[in-house]
Amino acid sequence: MLLDMKTVMVLIVFGHVFSVILISAYWRTHMKDHMLSMFLIAKGTQVLAWLVIVMRNGIPDLLTISLTNSLLFIGFSLETTAMLKLQHRFSHSIRMLYLMLTILIIAAFHIVLFTSNHENVRIAVASIGIALFMAVPAYILIRSQNPSFIKRIIGLLYVSILAALLGRAFFALGTHEMIGMFTPSLYQTFTFLSLFLIMFIGNIGFVLLLKEQADQELVRLANYDDLTGVLNRRTFISFSMRIIAEHARRGEHLSLVLFDIDHFKKINDTYGHVIGDRALQQLSAHIGSLLRSKDCFSRYGGDEFAILLPETDEYEADQLVEALRQSTMQLLVPEMASRLSISLGVVTVIPTEQTKLESLYKLCDKALYTAKDNGRNGAARMETAAMIG
């Protein structure tokens, strides 16, 4: 099956153009991001490269080959760095790696072009160069911690393209026949299909990962408090109801802790709300670092926080509460002369099927007020029966 060269190239150009249009439409309704602009520039550079080939009449072949491949290398470099930015893996060292890699690949290609100008060698250099650009994002997509299904699929597709590119390079170096994009053959068809696949996976993959990231951000905004980054009240209540029901079935202890910052209004009045917000942020981050992965931590409202401790009896809860209280006293907040302290209320139960979070909250809130009445910077426990309704 032989394909018409110009038809395939025009399809590739249209594929890139439509991707630019769709992503630009998305970009207009979202905060402008350097990652998106980089990807759009990458697509524009690749479109320009293919247009040079399609409209090359009158342009010397040497100049066409030089300009086209230089633009493609730059375009692929920008596209893969945009993909790395999307994965939040574009560090300074990666930036320097891709800058040097782009320079070296363009230089190596032109050394071949202006010395031997053997087409098979040019094909091998170009294939290996593009494979090197794609190697890092392919590795990150597959090896990232807890990758999503779509990330694994796109990563595997990247690996398949890498294998095809390296196979193309070895084939070009191993054959004595003259092969190339402008020579009708099965190799030409394979090359065009590979280029189309690279364009398709690169464009669709980026859009899907961008959409996945947007969806994750919506979930974060829906479930987490904007200021502190801990669970918001609605999500905490939802999680807690499930945990209480599970413990009721198993007949296990769980504990609820409420705490707030002592004299928080005075902090806001003395230092301002910006410093007050910073105190909330640092305290929540500090407390969160001391909790177990199974614990639920929420900003319940204002400076009041709630912690649900699964599989935790009275002794374990009291030990943790005292550790939180003492650790908070060591916390330093910039621009605050005094250190923070917290008051805590604790309740521990073996829940039944009738146990409600609201009833636990009321008991815990009474304990919290007892701690405040006792002079603050302390904890109080509300004693309950083993079963609570």
Side-chain angles (χ1 to χ4, degrees), residues 13 43-53 67-68 71:
V13 168
K43 295 291 102 178
T45 304
Q46 292 173 34
V47 166
L48 185 59
W50 294 117
L51 286 176
V52 169
I53 296 180
L67 183 58
T68 298
L71 289 172

Side-chain angles (χ1 to χ4, degrees), residues 308-319:
L308 187 68
L309 305 171
E311 303 171 11
T312 306
D313 59 22
E314 289 90 343
Y315 176 78
E316 294 170 323
D318 290 344
Q319 291 290 107

Side-chain angles (χ1 to χ4, degrees), residues 355-381:
T355 301
K356 305 297 182 186
L357 177 63
E358 182 181 0
S359 61
L360 294 179
Y361 175 83
K362 289 178 180 178
L363 290 171
C364 206
D365 193 47
K366 288 180 181 179
L368 175 58
Y369 275 96
T370 299
K372 292 181 179 181
D373 292 340
N374 291 339
R376 301 179 188 270
N377 190 20
R381 167 175 289 283

